[in-house]
Amino acid sequence: MNLHATPPGDIGSSIAEAAEALGDEIVALRRAIHADPELGLETPRTLAKVKDALADLPLEWREGPQTTGAVAVLKGRGPAADKKRRVVLRGDMDALPLAEETGLPFASQITGRMHACGHDGHTAMLAGAARLLAERTQDFDGEVWLMFQPGEEGFGGGRMMVEDGLLTDEHGPPDACFALHVMPNARHGQIACIPGPLMAASDTLQVVVKGSGGHASMPHGAADPMPVAAEIVTALQAMVTRQFDAGEPVVVTVTRIEAGHADNVIADACTMRGTLRTLSDETRARLPQAIERLATNIAAAHGLSAEVTVKPGFPVTVNDPRAFALAREVAVREFGADCFETLKRPLMTAEDFSYVLNHAPGAMLFLGVAREGDDWSQCCGLHSPRMHMDETALPRGAALLAALGLAVLQKGLPA
């Protein structure tokens, strides 16, 4: 399946108009990927679909040892050969281990797997942007690095591609990097962004309360870890509100508590697991220390012990203010002032594009893909087995990515 070239007479039209002309091909690629989801770092069939769709373009493909991702390099042919700007445009490719419940004719054909986070749309939009930019190589110098990334859903595929050197050349890191994320419960076609922190760091918490088991009818003869664990869960919420600035969100959520195997037996230990979300490196470093102090002392007060383990996850996703300003300027120019919204606050979700943004300045933007006319606030959100996107919004995303790439290569980030 190829993403067919825009008819020659349309090449001089606006990027938005040219993207609309590619709409059917963008949607076809999205549906092919949606029906055949792959998980984690192993997405070879998805990458093969992308390469097939872009087979006629003058792309140089780079691949690394840690993932099945790839970077496709598109070189400009403009007159200023001394300009060597490079821009990264990213689309992620992996799905989720969910059983799809959408009932779509192109629903997942693999049991227990689904593109419920929109990565199929991200990849298709990036392929569309590649086509749009390939038709305009005479308008820019430098290079576009099209980053087709696996392993976003908790695997750190972005970090691995940075480590593999796929986002560095002899001149160093790229000048800027951009990514889009669809939002099924946001207004159709709405583009949203914020300067500074956009999404939180995500770390994994485990607390093991250790006591001694016994017969449930005689709790005085045991050291029951369960009420101690319950006390720790409640105290964690008070700790967040009393030890951390209310102006900077901190989330500590215990999602699993496991102990024992019988109704009449007090367990030796109780294990709690959950997630930590923070928006600054300072708070992220303080939080595990505060949790350990609280948990170990509560346990000790009851004659038990507690072990706290925090496994680091994705860092804070931070948008460069210059990249935000450029994104706002490009979005308003291409689609009108009403299309762009500056978010009021960051989200406490996490994203491994954060590793790319730690490597080079840039920004991630959101694109609303609720059905036009629907009450978007009631639409199923990301990671729902019923998540659905209005595919007519995808050409806008492709056009935005292409326009951002052109803007960086033609004039760089604003001062």
Side-chain angles (χ1 to χ4, degrees):
M1 171 183 29
N2 286 332
L3 274 176
H4 301 298
T6 306
D10 291 341
I11 290 178
S13 63
S14 75
I15 286 181
E17 291 172 344
E20 290 295 334
L22 284 176
D24 289 347
E25 287 78 13
I26 293 171
V27 168
L29 178 59
R30 181 254 166 168
R31 293 185 177 187
I33 294 170
H34 188 93
D36 185 22
E38 297 178 288
L39 301 180
L41 299 170
E42 298 297 322
T43 57
R45 296 191 307 276
T46 304
L47 183 61
K49 291 179 178 66
V50 171
K51 287 185 173 181
D52 179 65
L54 303 178
D56 64 311
L57 299 188
L59 301 174
E60 298 177 6
W61 291 89
R62 302 173 183 166
E63 300 182 27
Q66 295 192 75
T67 77
T68 54
V71 171
V73 178
L74 177 66
K75 296 183 178 181
R77 297 184 293 110
D82 59 325
K83 292 183 180 179
K84 297 297 182 184
R85 295 192 186 104
R86 294 98 67 233
V87 61
V88 169
L89 305 176
R90 177 268 217 168
D92 38 8
M93 300 189 293
D94 55 321
L96 285 161
L98 286 177
E100 183 163 354
E101 299 176 10
T102 62
L104 293 168
F106 53 90
S108 172
Q109 297 176 3
I110 301 179
T111 302
R113 296 184 182 183
M114 177 192 174
H115 271 288
C117 199
H119 297 187
D120 51 343
H122 301 168
T123 301
M125 289 188 294
L126 182 56
R131 174 71 60 189
L132 295 168
L133 288 166
E135 293 166 349
R136 291 163 173 78
T137 53
Q138 73 280 359
D139 295 334
F140 66 87
D141 303 283
E143 298 177 351
V144 183
W145 296 352
L146 302 151
M147 180 184 180
F148 293 96
Q149 179 207 314
E152 192 282 324
E153 296 291 352
F155 292 85
R159 171 181 55 81
M160 293 178 183
M161 291 184 74
V162 171
E163 291 174 351
D164 286 345
L166 297 178
L167 303 184
T168 304
D169 65 7
E170 67 273 16
H171 304 290
D175 295 273
C177 51
F178 290 94
L180 280 182
H181 203 301
V182 298
M183 295 296 282
N185 49 356
R187 181 166 64 85
H188 178 91
Q190 183 77 39
I191 298 164
C193 193
I194 190 173
L198 173 74
M199 284 186 273
S202 173
D203 301 319
T204 302
L205 171 67
Q206 176 178 284
V207 180
V208 180
V209 180
K210 295 183 176 181
S212 60
H215 200 291
S217 67
M218 296 177 283
H220 59 283
D224 190 351
M226 188 65 76
V228 176
E231 187 173 334
I232 291 172
V233 172
T234 301
L236 285 172
Q237 307 313 310
M239 178 204 71
V240 167
T241 63
R242 293 298 177 266
Q243 295 187 32
F244 292 89
D245 189 340
E248 181 182 333
V250 174
V251 173
V252 177
T253 301
V254 176
T255 56
R256 297 168 61 189
I257 300 179
E258 300 168 343
H261 301 284
D263 295 343
N264 61 348
V265 177
I266 293 172
D268 287 327
C270 177
T271 299
M272 299 177 288
R273 294 182 175 87
T275 186
L276 311 180
R277 305 296 171 109
T278 52
L279 288 173
S280 72
D281 292 339
E282 179 184 4
T283 300
R284 188 185 188 192
R286 281 184 56 208
L287 187 57
Q289 300 169 8
I291 292 173
E292 183 168 18
R293 183 170 61 247
L294 179 144
T296 55
N297 282 298
I298 288 177
H302 294 277
L304 282 71
S305 64
E307 295 180 355
V308 177
T309 304
V310 174
K311 181 181 178 182
F314 296 162
V316 183
T317 303
V318 182
N319 285 340
D320 187 284
R322 298 168 299 165
F324 165 80
L326 180 65
R328 179 177 55 191
E329 173 190 330
V330 168
V332 170
R333 183 188 70 222
E334 294 293 331
F335 308 111
D338 291 343
C339 85
F340 189 87
E341 175 188 2
T342 300
L343 296 171
K344 295 181 176 61
R345 62 186 67 87
L347 281 66
M348 300 308 288
T349 50
E351 166 61 61
D352 92 337
F353 192 60
S354 53
Y355 293 112
V356 181
L357 292 174
N358 283 346
H359 180 65
M364 170 171 271
L365 297 87
F366 297 124
L367 174 66
V369 293
R371 289 187 181 93
E372 196 158 11
D374 280 4
D375 180 0
W376 51 264
S377 65
Q378 301 302 310
C379 295
C380 289
L382 299 171
H383 291 217
S384 165
R386 295 173 297 281
M387 179 267 188
H388 178 68
M389 69 175 75
D390 186 340
E391 295 168 324
T392 63
L394 298 183
R396 172 168 290 194
L400 179 59
L401 286 171
L404 287 168
L406 271 178
V408 170
L409 294 175
Q410 290 176 343
K411 59 182 181 180
L413 294 177

